[in-house]
Amino acid sequence: MAHDREDSSDLSPPPADVDAQLQQSSPPKKRKRGVKDTAEKLSNPKRTKQGQEQAEDNKTAKSPRTKKSKKELRSAGEEKDTTTGKTTEVKAKPKRTRKSQLKTEDNPGKAQEAETEETHKPKRKRRPKVEKTLNTEDGDIKDTPPTPKRKRKTAEEKAAEAMPLASRTTNHLYNIGAHVSAAGGVHNAITNAVHIGANALALFLKSQRKWANPALKPEHSNLFRSACTTHQYDAGKHALPHGSYLVNLAHSDPARKAQAYESFLDDLQRCEALGIRLYNFHPGNTANAPRADAIANLAAHINAAHAATTTVTLLLETMATSSTSNTLGGQGFTDLRDTIALVQDKSRIGVCLDTCHVFAAGHDLRTPEAFATTMQEFDRVVGAGYIKALHLNDSKAPLASHRDLHANIGTGFLGLKAFHNVMNHKAFEGLPMVLETPTDVPNPKAQGSEVVKSEEAEGSSEDKKAAKGAEVKAVKTDDLDHKESPKEEGKKATKPKAAKPPPKTIEDLNMWAREIKLLESLVSMDVNSSEFLRLEAELAEKGKVSRAKHLEQFERKAAEAEKKGQRATEKLRKAKKRGEMVELREGEFSDSEEEEEEANESEEEEKRESPELPA
């Protein structure tokens, strides 16, 4: 029994500290999601509805003492002291506005803004931009003013430029003009022709150095016709457009033929839209195909163009190459003859005789006898009636040089007597005669910039070398003693950009105006008169240096070609002696290949000298 009593005493409730220990040692029960602990809810007054209402009441009671943001303080004209936390009133800064005027009477609420506008300081003027350049003498950085912008031409200057350089000669037997620019529209070609006193003109109907071109604008066509009427030009007789240099109707490749014909036909359609009836173009190149096939391709395209148009006459231009060159239309006139023979409508085919090309191809024009012989040869091979137009150019290269290098009238190897023969040939009366002579003259500004050199600033060449050496040594020693920081590296002065030098030559259209008057004066002039002899001597003296230069080149190349020919002949002779067939090595080419190379060089120079119509 005593034992039972002891056990019953153990079942009595444990003390409070024991319950706390048991509660801490026992693991917490997992709470189900979504079920809130009521004890926690009761312990936090904000979690109950009554607690939330009490918190809102407290918030409204404390609202006058809430913090203001910096933006609110700034707008209210107050500023907060960071040390004490107090806010003090500050004077508001005036706003800068770009309004020109503000009517305070109509807007009384904005009177304060108007006052701030009145007190606004005027805008400072911008300083001119300067470039930082390095002074090589002392290593300092100095400011240099920028290059001045080109001034716009005044109305008086534009009017002076528009004034004709020479008046047109009316009712002259020969229609002499030049290949003028059509930049900005074909109608401008008429204005440019009037400017130099021309009675005929040549032009590009579009850019001659690219395939894709915009269509002819109807307003430009109307302006062209109107200008012809105003200035009394007959577009059908006096205008002679020049074909693109890219077009080769003699090519055998189908894709290239199609591309060339498309551009060619586009030009002819422009001619018909403008009322032009003559169109001059180069016969083309065989591109190493058989000559007969190339001529057949050329004639086939001419026939197709005749079928697609109704009024334009196509003129094949004489070329400067030999009869064996890949370029058609050269020496002998046989290519022209063979092409015309395959043309179906012979009333719409003709020839443009270029005096420089004919002379360079080997046909002399310098004396009356030589001129008559050349004309007889052309009449026998092609037919004199096919000459529909002329290009009047002297030649920088000698007779039979096969180089297409145009010179000013009387200054080249043709001389003034050759043009006296042309201007007194009755068969050329009424035909368009177009100058393609150079108009570039030395630029006085470019010459001045080269000549003007200050010896005091520049010094002698020895002084320059010494100064440069000292400068290099100083830079090396500075690099060893001092290492620049990244900030200093960023401030380094870069080398100033060199100013674009002025062009060496400028265009002088007075050249054409004078040459037109010169050629017109040769009609019926006595070659033995003092006037003619004086003009001949003056012009020959002007081209003396150029003739000597090109003659030396011609003789040197002729000597080199002769040596190559001799080596090739000797090699063949030895091979035949051995009974072997030996081919020519690379570099030992025939005369025709050498002439072709020279012709390509000449044509490139002609392209550079010719005016271009921008897109």
Side-chain angles (χ1 to χ4, degrees):
M1 293 298 293
H3 181 71
D4 294 339
R5 289 190 197 102
E6 291 176 359
D7 294 341
S8 61
S9 63
D10 294 336
L11 295 174
S12 58
D17 55 349
V18 176
D19 290 341
Q21 291 177 5
L22 290 173
Q23 189 175 0
Q24 289 176 3
S25 61
S26 61
K29 294 182 180 180
K30 290 184 180 180
R31 184 187 300 172
K32 294 183 180 180
R33 286 190 177 183
V35 179
K36 296 182 179 180
D37 192 354
T38 54
E40 184 183 355
K41 190 174 181 180
L42 292 172
S43 63
N44 189 357
K46 289 186 179 181
R47 300 290 295 271
T48 62
K49 189 174 182 181
Q50 294 178 355
Q52 291 176 2
E53 292 176 356
Q54 185 66 28
E56 288 178 3
D57 294 340
N58 294 338
K59 187 176 181 182
T60 53
K62 294 179 182 180
S63 59
R65 299 182 64 184
T66 54
K67 286 186 178 181
K68 290 185 179 180
S69 64
K70 290 183 179 180
K71 189 174 182 180
E72 290 173 345
L73 289 171
R74 199 182 300 115
S75 62
E78 298 176 352
E79 187 176 13
K80 185 176 180 180
D81 191 351
T82 55
T83 56
T84 61
K86 296 181 180 180
T87 57
T88 57
E89 292 185 2
V90 294
K91 192 173 182 180
K93 294 181 181 180
K95 294 181 180 180
R96 291 187 179 183
T97 61
R98 297 177 65 88
K99 297 179 182 179
S100 58
Q101 291 181 353
L102 181 65
K103 297 181 180 179
T104 55
E105 296 176 359
D106 299 339
N107 301 291
K110 296 186 179 181
Q112 185 178 359
E113 187 177 352
E115 291 177 3
T116 59
E117 178 128 17
E118 291 176 2
T119 58
H120 176 58
K121 293 182 181 180
K123 191 175 181 181
R124 290 186 300 176
K125 292 183 179 180
R126 292 183 179 179
R127 293 181 179 178
K129 292 182 179 179
V130 293
E131 296 178 358
K132 300 288 185 181
T133 58
L134 182 64
N135 189 357
T136 54
E137 295 179 359
D138 50 8
D140 295 336
I141 297 173
K142 62 178 182 179
D143 296 339
T144 57
T147 53
K149 292 184 179 180
R150 186 174 62 181
K151 294 182 179 179
R152 292 185 177 180
K153 294 179 181 178
T154 61
E156 291 78 9
E157 290 174 340
K158 291 181 179 179
E161 288 184 357
M163 289 292 292
L165 300 173
S167 59
R168 291 172 62 192
T169 305
T170 58
N171 301 323
H172 200 274
L173 294 173
Y174 299 87
N175 298 319
I176 307 170
H179 189 137
V180 295
S181 172
V186 290
H187 54 284
N188 290 329
I190 301 298
T191 306
N192 294 330
V194 173
H195 186 59
I196 59 174
N199 286 320
L201 68 147
L203 70 155
F204 290 117
L205 300 175
K206 59 188 178 186
S207 177
Q208 81 283 14
R209 297 184 184 179
K210 63 180 184 178
W211 293 107
N213 285 281
L216 177 65
K217 295 180 180 180
E219 56 267 27
H220 288 182
S221 177
N222 296 334
L223 288 170
F224 180 86
R225 289 176 176 269
S226 176
C228 287
T229 304
T230 302
H231 298 288
Q232 299 179 354
Y233 284 102
D234 187 342
K237 295 180 179 179
H238 301 149
L240 182 66
H242 197 294
S244 171
Y245 293 120
L246 301 176
V247 171
N248 180 15
L249 299 179
H251 210 290
S252 57
D253 182 76
R256 294 191 177 185
K257 283 195 299 183
Q259 186 182 40
Y261 178 72
E262 183 181 357
S263 177
F264 181 73
L265 183 60
D266 178 65
D267 263 6
L268 302 186
Q269 291 169 347
R270 292 172 189 245
C271 287
E272 292 196 326
L274 299 170
I276 297 174
R277 293 178 175 269
L278 298 174
Y279 181 80
N280 169 72
F281 69 103
H282 292 181
N285 191 287
T286 64
N288 296 322
R291 201 171 201 81
D293 294 347
I295 292 173
N297 291 333
L298 173 60
H301 285 114
I302 292 173
N303 290 329
H306 280 166
T309 56
T310 57
T311 59
V312 185
T313 298
L314 306 179
L315 306 184
L316 299 163
E317 185 175 343
T318 55
M319 303 306 291
T321 54
S322 68
S323 57
T324 57
S325 169
N326 285 340
T327 301
L328 302 176
Q331 184 180 17
F333 309 122
T334 54
D335 293 337
L336 304 177
R337 175 200 64 194
D338 296 342
T339 303
I340 293 173
L342 298 176
V343 175
Q344 296 171 0
D345 187 359
K346 292 181 172 52
S347 65
R348 293 174 60 194
I349 190 68
V351 174
C352 177
L353 193 73
D354 190 308
T355 55
C356 173
H357 297 179
V358 168
F359 180 74
H363 304 284
D364 200 355
L365 305 170
R366 291 174 291 185
T367 64
E369 296 77 19
F371 180 82
T373 301
T374 298
M375 290 297 101
Q376 290 170 6
E377 179 69 10
F378 185 89
D379 187 30
R380 183 185 65 82
V381 177
V382 182
Y386 283 108
I387 299 178
K388 308 289 185 183
L390 287 92
H391 285 169
L392 302 180
N393 306 297
D394 210 325
S395 176
K396 291 181 180 179
L399 178 67
S401 62
H402 305 297
R403 300 195 68 189
D404 180 12
L405 298 175
H406 296 186
N408 291 103
I409 302 300
T411 63
F413 282 92
L414 271 168
L416 194 60
K417 283 183 180 178
F419 294 96
H420 182 274
N421 297 328
V422 172
M423 296 309 300
N424 289 277
H425 189 60
K426 296 293 183 183
F428 296 159
E429 290 183 7
L431 301 182
M433 309 173 80
V434 176
L435 288 165
E436 293 179 327
T437 53
T439 57
D440 295 336
V441 296
N443 186 1
K445 294 182 180 179
Q447 288 179 345
S449 63
E450 292 176 3
V451 172
V452 177
K453 290 183 179 179
S454 174
E455 294 182 0
E456 297 176 0
E458 297 288 341
S460 63
S461 58
E462 294 180 359
D463 294 339
K464 287 182 189 177
K465 289 179 182 178
K468 190 174 182 180
E471 184 182 345
V472 171
K473 288 179 182 178
V475 170
K476 287 182 178 179
T477 54
D478 289 344
D479 290 343
L480 293 172
D481 298 338
H482 171 66
K483 189 175 181 181
E484 293 178 343
S485 64
K487 289 184 178 180
E488 290 176 341
E489 289 179 1
K491 293 181 181 178
K492 272 187 179 180
T494 57
K495 231 179 183 180
K497 291 183 180 179
K500 190 176 181 180
K504 293 182 179 179
T505 59
I506 56 175
E507 186 180 41
D508 182 15
L509 296 178
N510 275 299
M511 301 285 289
W512 281 342
R514 289 192 295 267
E515 287 182 343
I516 289 171
K517 294 305 177 187
L518 171 65
L519 292 168
E520 290 176 348
S521 69
L522 295 179
V523 179
S524 302
M525 182 183 284
D526 185 5
V527 293
N528 296 319
S529 64
S530 59
E531 178 67 14
F532 182 87
L533 295 175
R534 180 185 64 81
L535 290 171
E536 184 181 32
E538 288 178 358
L539 295 171
E541 182 64 26
K542 285 182 180 179
K544 183 178 179 180
V545 175
S546 176
R547 290 197 307 275
K549 170 188 170 183
H550 288 92
L551 180 61
E552 187 273 331
Q553 291 178 359
F554 172 72
E555 291 176 346
R556 176 168 45 82
K557 287 188 176 182
E560 292 174 357
E562 186 178 356
K563 287 180 181 179
K564 288 179 181 178
Q566 290 175 356
R567 288 198 299 267
T569 303
E570 183 65 19
K571 186 175 181 179
L572 288 173
R573 187 184 65 77
K574 290 180 180 179
K576 285 181 181 178
K577 195 173 181 180
R578 293 194 307 266
E580 300 174 356
M581 295 297 295
V582 180
E583 296 181 355
L584 293 175
R585 291 183 304 175
E586 185 180 357
E588 297 178 345
F589 44 83
S590 62
D591 294 342
S592 61
E593 292 172 337
E594 184 179 6
E595 290 164 2
E596 177 67 22
E597 183 181 353
E598 292 177 354
N600 292 337
E601 293 175 0
S602 302
E603 188 172 354
E604 287 297 325
E605 185 167 345
E606 181 185 2
K607 290 177 184 178
R608 290 193 296 271
E609 293 177 353
S610 61
E612 182 178 358
L613 175 66

